[in-house]
Amino acid sequence: MKKAIEIAKKSLETHDVPIGAVIVRNKKIIGIGYNKKEALHSPIAHAEILAINMASKNLNSYHLEGSDIYITLEPCLMCVGAILHARISNLYFGASNKRFGAVKSHQNIENLFTNHKINYKGSILEDECSSLISNFFSELRERSK
Amino acid sequence: MKKAIEIAKKSLETHDVPIGAVIVRNKKIIGIGYNKKEALHSPIAHAEILAINMASKNLNSYHLEGSDIYITLEPCLMCVGAILHARISNLYFGASNKRFGAVKSHQNIENLFTNHKINYKGSILEDECSSLISNFFSELRERSK
């Protein structure tokens, strides 16, 4: 998760909300991603999607069984869908996402899919992951004053 | 929808399940996509995702308000998430997707998000859209005999 936090900070370069994701398999990082929604003008360019794309390319496979994903923020519906499609085994996230979180906050992941079971754990380095985002919005408000 | 069906057939070139998507705004096509999951070895490369990416690039914006999306198959959770993120106004689909459809079949779109309301209509050229997919699987079964 420390690596995901480090990566999340790269989003700041393009004024994107700092969110990072890392995919690990057999103790090796196979995919990383950070939020590039503003940078790429794309509603798809979430950290998780970019990390999954990289991991799939690395493994030359659209299935990533046996992989773990670490995300600084609870993933949204789209990203949970992608994580389940990719058959990632374990999902770890930091801060909860009350508005859009589709693991436990807004939606419950257990109700969302039928053909893949995933283990998950939230609140990992939660304070650090939350501060990343709250600091970003505080600075944004300051700048727009 | 006829255009989406035509585009779906391109998936066959790479032995992908034939699914097509077209995004229209002000009577102009701004994005097309066809399923490239096998072609790109990517769990993300659904027709809708590729069409949204193209439309976002064309408009230079991650919001596609005022756009309509036509898809030959009821979209999955990931794609519904992406369609809602993109704030597409109207969603039209052909065949229902009993296993993974997140508009009305497996999930109900009304329960999935809170900040964007979308209109939708299914069963458009349903027989033609369904046959595309059922023929694909029949041929696959024949070939593997």
Side-chain angles (χ1 to χ4, degrees):
Chain A
M1 188 60 81
K2 282 194 175 159
K3 182 77 181 164
I5 293 171
E6 185 192 317
I7 286 164
K9 291 175 185 164
K10 292 195 177 185
S11 299
L12 297 169
E13 292 166 14
T14 47
H15 308 291
D16 270 294
V17 184
I19 303 163
V22 173
I23 301 176
V24 176
R25 194 162 181 259
N26 297 333
K27 298 185 182 172
K28 244 182 85 180
I29 290 176
I30 57 167
I32 60 164
Y34 53 96
N35 181 27
K36 286 188 182 175
K37 205 177 139 181
E38 298 282 350
L40 300 181
H41 304 295
S42 167
I44 317 289
H46 286 198
E48 302 89 319
I49 299 286
L50 300 173
I52 290 173
N53 258 340
M54 186 194 280
S56 298
K57 266 187 199 148
N58 276 336
L59 297 190
N60 215 19
S61 165
Y62 53 74
H63 284 156
L64 307 174
E65 281 107 338
S67 302
D68 305 331
I69 189 164
Y70 296 82
I71 320 163
T72 56
L73 181 69
E74 182 183 356
C76 73
L77 198 67
M78 173 180 75
C79 292
V80 163
I83 289 164
L84 294 171
H85 278 312
R87 299 197 189 162
I88 287 174
S89 302
N90 300 294
L91 156 60
Y92 303 103
F93 65 88
S96 294
N97 183 347
K98 299 259 177 294
R99 281 187 72 199
F100 301 118
V103 178
K104 63 172 190 62
S105 298
H106 182 60
Q107 313 287 329
N108 197 316
I109 198 167
E110 277 97 357
N111 304 331
L112 290 177
F113 229 71
T114 49
N115 77 333
H116 177 63
K117 217 175 147 41
I118 190 164
N119 302 308
Y120 69 86
K121 195 172 172 347
S123 305
I124 296 165
L125 301 182
E126 189 172 14
D127 289 346
E128 211 174 327
C129 290
S130 295
S131 313
L132 256 178
I133 297 179
S134 54
N135 290 345
F136 171 80
F137 284 108
S138 301
E139 283 170 27
L140 202 67
R141 276 190 297 271
E142 273 306 310
R143 275 208 304 275
S144 63
K145 265 182 190 169
Chain B
M1 187 61 80
K2 283 195 174 159
K3 182 77 183 166
I5 293 171
E6 186 192 315
I7 286 164
K9 292 175 184 164
K10 293 195 175 184
S11 299
L12 297 170
E13 293 166 13
T14 47
H15 308 290
D16 270 294
V17 184
I19 303 163
V22 173
I23 301 176
V24 176
R25 193 164 182 259
N26 297 332
K27 298 185 182 172
K28 245 182 85 180
I29 290 177
I30 57 167
I32 59 164
Y34 52 95
N35 181 28
K36 287 188 181 174
K37 206 176 138 181
E38 298 281 351
L40 300 181
H41 304 295
S42 167
I44 316 289
H46 286 198
E48 302 88 318
I49 299 286
L50 301 172
I52 291 172
N53 258 340
M54 186 194 279
S56 298
K57 266 188 197 145
N58 276 337
L59 298 189
N60 214 19
S61 165
Y62 53 75
H63 284 156
L64 306 174
E65 281 106 340
S67 302
D68 305 332
I69 189 164
Y70 296 82
I71 319 163
T72 55
L73 181 69
E74 182 183 356
C76 72
L77 198 66
M78 173 180 75
C79 293
V80 163
I83 289 165
L84 294 171
H85 278 313
R87 299 197 189 161
I88 287 174
S89 302
N90 300 294
L91 156 59
Y92 303 103
F93 64 88
S96 294
N97 184 347
K98 298 260 177 294
R99 281 187 73 199
F100 300 118
V103 178
K104 63 172 190 62
S105 297
H106 182 61
Q107 313 286 328
N108 196 317
I109 199 169
E110 277 97 356
N111 304 331
L112 289 177
F113 228 70
T114 48
N115 77 333
H116 177 63
K117 217 176 147 42
I118 191 164
N119 302 308
Y120 69 86
K121 194 172 172 348
S123 304
I124 297 167
L125 300 183
E126 189 172 15
D127 289 347
E128 211 173 328
C129 290
S130 295
S131 312
L132 258 178
I133 297 178
S134 55
N135 289 345
F136 171 80
F137 284 108
S138 301
E139 283 171 26
L140 202 67
R141 275 191 298 270
E142 272 307 309
R143 274 208 304 275
S144 63
K145 264 182 191 170

